[in-house]
Amino acid sequence: GAKVLHLAAFDIDTNKWNRLGGMQVLNDDQGWSQPKYYETIQIVTVEGDIFVVGRGTNHIHLFSFNVAQQTWTSRPFLYFMSDSSGWSEPEYYRTIRVASIGRKIFVFGRGAKVLHLAAFDIDRNDWELVKASNTSANEKGWDHTVAI
């Protein structure tokens, strides 16, 4: 929403939707009404928790929601994929993808010169950058936006 990040869950036993707790993050007042930010918001699940990831002006935002306890936790930011590094352009921010493997969350994106990958370790509560690859650089013909 404009002021609150909302979550809901569908209960297959009762055949009803239930609202989960909201959190006042990634809202319009913080600039998230712009496509270069809201289009990057994605979720992944890890062992029953929901993780929300989004690219902001200067860094990757990460929040987790513990479904059993109905509580939100702010996780460390990662100074990565910033506007000043060109990530405000659709051909870059629209390539951002998020995946979970084991107890790690990965953020991937194609920049002008390299493929970028970062991993968040849930147990260490810390980010690490994975070595970049230049196999899909603009000078190799990868400089066109693809509709997704």
Side-chain angles (χ1 to χ4, degrees), residues 32-112:
W32 287 85
S33 61
Q34 299 176 60
K36 63 183 176 179
Y37 305 126
Y38 71 73
E39 287 184 5
T40 69
I41 298 171
Q42 299 178 49
I43 64 167
V44 293
T45 60
V46 177
E47 297 177 6
D49 288 344
I50 299 169
F51 288 81
V52 179
V53 180
R55 188 199 75 81
T57 305
N58 295 310
H59 49 266
I60 300 295
H61 296 254
L62 179 63
F63 306 93
S64 61
F65 183 77
N66 182 299
V67 177
Q69 297 176 6
Q70 299 283 301
T71 57
W72 282 98
T73 302
S74 292
R75 300 296 186 133
F77 295 144
L78 174 65
Y79 291 93
F80 188 55
M81 299 180 170
S82 67
D83 284 0
S84 62
S85 297
W87 287 89
S88 60
E89 298 300 321
E91 61 264 33
Y92 306 123
Y93 73 75
R94 287 185 178 159
T95 68
I96 296 172
R97 298 292 180 267
V98 178
S100 63
I101 301 173
R103 295 196 45 85
K104 288 189 177 185
I105 297 168
F106 293 87
V107 177
F108 163 86
R110 187 194 73 81

Side-chain angles (χ1 to χ4, degrees), residues 6-47:
H6 298 279
L7 287 176
F10 186 77
D11 186 323
I12 58 173
D13 294 327
T14 63
N15 203 34
K16 292 183 182 177
W17 283 97
N18 298 309
R19 283 187 157 172
L20 304 176
M23 187 174 190
Q24 293 184 352
V25 296
L26 311 181
N27 59 49
D28 289 1
D29 293 341
Q30 297 169 332
W32 287 85
S33 61
Q34 299 176 60
K36 63 183 176 179
Y37 305 126
Y38 71 73
E39 287 184 5
T40 69
I41 298 171
Q42 299 178 49
I43 64 167
V44 293
T45 60
V46 177
E47 297 177 6

Side-chain angles (χ1 to χ4, degrees), residues 85-87 89-92 95 109-116 133-145:
S85 297
W87 287 89
E89 298 300 321
E91 61 264 33
Y92 306 123
T95 68
R110 187 194 73 81
K113 299 197 180 287
V114 296
L115 297 177
H116 298 267
S133 167
N134 68 353
T135 59
S136 298
N138 283 355
E139 63 266 13
K140 294 183 180 181
W142 288 87
D143 57 345
H144 303 286
T145 300

